[in-house]
Amino acid sequence: MILIVGSINIDFTIKVKRFPEEGETITDGVFFQSPGGKGLNQAVASARAGEKTFLVCSVGNDVFWKFIEDYLKNEKNLTILPEVNKGFSTGVAFILVDDKGKNKIVVSPGANAKLSSNHVRQVLEQSNPRFVVLQCEIPFDVVQTVMEMKNKLNFIVVFNTAPFKSWVREIIHIPDFVIMNEVEAKQIFGKDVKDKDSAVVVLKDYPFHNSVMITLGKDGVVLLNQEKGKKISHFPAFEVDVVDTTGAGDTFAGYFSAMMSAGKDLEESINLAQAASAVCVTREGAVKSIPKFHEVLAFLQTLK
Ligand code: RIB
């Protein structure tokens, strides 16, 4: 069983041919709305990978939460345990996606910023999870509470450093697995990380005792594996036609956690998580683009 402590948003996406310049208005965008938020995306990925998954989050008592709840009512393996904060809006993300599938995202956290340590502590104590997954779209005191409970309740923590917050540096040594992309790696280590070689350089100096993955999009993933004496290895990405990269990192984190929880080893979990992300970027949106496990296996079959 996996417990994800994280954000939940409604995503308002407009697909554009190109991003507007400052002060420019573009009028041929195509709009759609979909559930999103890094926490929810990771929870859906874990559930679609086949693991029983719980998402602990905070929402407003509003039409956005009703839309999300309704959209996900038939999602197998997923249970959402929301704290309802009346008077606050459910989190909202405005997303622009260009014709290369790249995105620009602005989030208004709304109720996500009200997620309380008490709610999270209660769920952790009652559910006794094996794996807990965290990201940074929730308050720092909630992240700290989970890290403090890790040894007492003896669960494994997967920590995704997205989106980067300065407090990441204070706690990065505590989780068992850390997942970051190249932008976050640069923010954490203060060194340019743009490809496989520069990722290897920063990981060679990594001072802590947990395993780290740097995801590099089309350049794959670089892993620092503590279980194998700090061995650094590279996993090339799968080549696909990119439609929308929104949620690709979340799909990786959710699938990786689910595969580890299902007993796969680190390398195989990374490989399957990369395959799931590759399928995700060929489709529009966040939650709606995340593949089910049989779709990931079918994708891998097409490569043989
Ligand atoms: O990682 C993608 C997600 O970032 C979107 O779903 C959006 O809600 C923001 O949280």
Side-chain angles (χ1 to χ4, degrees), residues 30-71:
V30 178
F31 170 78
F32 64 89
Q33 75 181 53
S34 159
K38 295 185 194 304
L40 178 63
N41 297 340
Q42 293 177 8
V44 169
S46 163
R48 289 187 187 163
E51 284 297 286
K52 201 168 161 39
T53 305
F54 291 82
L55 171 67
V56 191
C57 60
S58 168
V59 298
N61 186 17
D62 56 13
V63 289
F64 297 152
W65 165 233
K66 289 277 161 292
F67 169 81
I68 296 168
E69 201 179 19
D70 203 43
Y71 191 104

Side-chain angles (χ1 to χ4, degrees), residues 9 11 36-38 41 93 95 105 107 137 246-247 250 286:
N9 296 332
D11 290 354
K38 295 185 194 304
N41 297 340
I95 304 179
I105 304 179
V107 172
E137 276 182 337
T246 310
D250 305 329

Side-chain angles (χ1 to χ4, degrees), residues 14-20 26 28-30 96-99:
I14 299 185
K15 288 213 75 168
V16 288
K17 293 201 179 78
R18 61 172 178 83
F19 296 125
I26 288 180
D28 59 353
V30 178
L96 287 181
V97 179
D98 76 1
D99 65 355

Side-chain angles (χ1 to χ4, degrees), residues 1 10-11 19 27 47-48 88 97-98 142 148 153 167 178 181 193 201 226 248 257 284:
M1 189 272 257
I10 182 151
D11 290 354
F19 296 125
T27 57
R48 289 187 187 163
F88 290 86
V97 179
D98 76 1
V142 172
E148 279 161 22
L153 296 184
W167 48 255
V178 183
N181 68 17
V193 177
V201 168
Q226 297 283 357
S257 307
E284 271 181 358

